[in-house]
Amino acid sequence: MQPTNRQWILQARPAGPQIDRAMFEKRESPLPHHVRDGEFLVRNRWFSCDPSQRAWMDAETYLPPVALGQTMRAFTGGEVVDSRHPGFKRGDLVTGLFGWQDYAVSDGRDALGPVTKLAPGVELQSALSLFGITGMTAYFGLFEIGRPVAGDTVLVSGAAGATGVIAAQLARLSGHRTIGIAGGADKCRWLVQELGLDEAIDYKAGNPMEAVRALCPDGVNVYFDNIGGDMLDAGLANLAPGARVVLSGALSGYGDFDQMPVIRHYPNLILKRARMEGFLVFDYLARTAEAVTRMSPWLAAGQLSNPVDIAEGFDAAPDALIRLFAGKNRGKQLVRLD
């Protein structure tokens, strides 16, 4: 039987922050038969679920929104199964912005730049998490924007999520007192008992602003924020002199930034002579080898964990993305195709 190309199509835009499975339609189309000179065919094996996908559904960001009727945009990892491109051969493992579909034709570039060909021995699962966009965001956000120094206290929001869990571990492994903010007692125990953070704050259990103040009476030196809103305000209210605030994400506002809570404590940036800076990881991807070289020994020694939360099967993709925004994942949310 001739294989077909299953695709998840965006057929409706969200009316608010919530994502519903009905916004996606599963379709099947003929498998691309002809790979032209300079192109190759990828068979996807993994889908990545990322907060940015919610913004791509209806907002102008660093990319235009996904058009209705088009394949849902997503980072994926797969295998080259046919090639007429000199830089890619059959059997090569690659990651790129290939979307929620079984097969994709590429000329070696996607909307964000060159397609990544994995080095020998690197697995697709790791390439979409620790050694991919997620890990690079954590690494360069912490060390290039946050720039912790000896004696610093590092606070990370969304610390049980894909980026936060890596950023928090990197801070700990670099010798800094590290505190994570997460939702639920189980996640907080996991962060402290299994991943080695010094403290964890359950934002669902009380006032996170007061909890940060109690744990950091001298203030926070580096605040790595993935959430925005109330979580960002909690960090701003408790800055140490000369603090650095890293704006990595704004999960609480994806879908409706107009409804995000007002940030009230930004004058602390003035009073504490602090700095708050946003960044996009794509500006640092040319330096990926630097980050991989530094993180690999920690991973090999079992000191750095790469938590991956796996949903099984092509049909699981929409629910896995919904699960991400419900905060049910621990670490990177991936979908393993059947």
Side-chain angles (χ1 to χ4, degrees):
M1 181 181 294
Q2 179 66 35
T4 58
N5 188 27
R6 297 173 298 177
Q7 299 169 305
W8 280 108
I9 303 299
L10 181 66
Q11 67 167 1
R13 301 198 188 281
Q18 299 301 316
I19 301 172
D20 187 271
R21 187 180 176 92
M23 296 170 186
F24 306 97
E25 178 186 350
K26 181 181 174 183
R27 296 181 187 172
E28 293 190 4
S29 62
L31 183 69
H33 290 292
H34 302 291
V35 177
R36 296 176 296 185
D37 287 343
E39 295 181 338
F40 56 93
L41 180 66
V42 177
R43 171 64 161 100
N44 283 324
R45 302 297 184 187
W46 294 85
F47 293 159
S48 175
C49 292
D50 299 287
S52 54
Q53 287 176 270
R54 174 59 190 82
W56 293 341
M57 291 175 73
D58 63 0
E60 283 283 347
T61 59
Y62 45 86
L63 291 175
V66 179
L68 294 180
Q70 296 299 308
T71 303
M72 182 59 196
R73 184 184 297 145
F75 289 104
T76 71
E79 179 183 355
V80 176
V81 293
D82 191 11
S83 179
R84 297 180 66 181
H85 190 294
F88 298 85
K89 65 180 186 301
R90 288 187 184 219
D92 283 346
L93 299 181
V94 295
T95 60
L97 208 59
F98 299 131
W100 279 356
Q101 56 185 341
D102 283 316
Y103 293 91
V105 173
S106 174
D107 63 0
R109 296 186 65 84
D110 59 33
L112 291 171
V115 169
T116 300
K117 182 166 69 173
L118 274 58
V122 177
E123 299 178 346
L124 287 169
Q125 180 176 316
S126 297
L128 289 172
S129 51
L130 181 62
F131 296 142
I133 298 295
T134 300
M136 297 306 108
T137 301
Y139 181 91
F140 290 108
L142 180 67
F143 294 121
E144 288 293 317
I145 309 299
R147 300 188 179 186
V149 297
D152 274 357
T153 292
V154 179
L155 177 69
V156 181
S157 67
T163 299
V165 75
I166 302 301
Q169 291 183 87
L170 293 177
R172 173 185 62 81
L173 288 165
S174 300
H176 307 292
R177 179 174 181 244
T178 306
I179 301 169
I181 303 175
D186 288 343
K187 285 185 177 179
C188 289
R189 279 193 294 269
W190 175 64
L191 290 171
V192 173
Q193 296 177 7
E194 296 191 32
L195 299 186
L197 272 61
D198 295 284
E199 306 280 356
I201 294 170
D202 179 3
Y203 71 84
K204 295 181 178 180
N207 186 329
M209 192 175 298
E210 295 301 323
V212 174
R213 183 168 293 126
L215 291 175
C216 307
D218 297 324
V220 174
N221 303 103
V222 177
Y223 179 36
F224 193 110
D225 182 53
N226 296 291
I227 306 299
D230 290 337
M231 294 301 102
L232 176 56
D233 216 25
L236 292 176
N238 292 284
L239 297 179
R244 286 81 68 204
V245 180
V246 182
L247 298 179
S248 171
L251 185 62
S252 66
Y254 291 155
D256 196 350
F257 285 117
D258 290 340
Q259 298 301 314
M260 288 185 74
V262 175
I263 303 301
R264 303 184 184 280
H265 290 87
Y266 69 87
N268 253 5
L269 293 166
I270 303 169
L271 299 174
K272 301 295 185 179
R273 290 85 165 174
R275 173 172 57 83
M276 183 163 68
E277 183 177 350
F279 75 106
L280 290 176
V281 68
F282 311 112
D283 297 332
Y284 295 92
L285 293 185
R287 294 170 56 190
T288 294
E290 169 192 329
V292 171
T293 299
R294 187 170 179 187
M295 293 191 292
S296 292
W298 284 329
L299 182 67
Q303 298 172 302
L304 175 61
S305 177
N306 182 30
V308 176
D309 203 320
I310 299 174
E312 297 288 353
F314 184 92
D315 289 349
D319 290 334
L321 187 61
I322 293 168
R323 188 171 184 273
L324 175 73
F325 280 89
K328 296 182 179 180
N329 61 300
R330 288 190 182 184
K332 180 72 176 187
Q333 181 69 63
L334 295 176
V335 178
R336 177 164 45 202
L337 276 64
D338 42 41

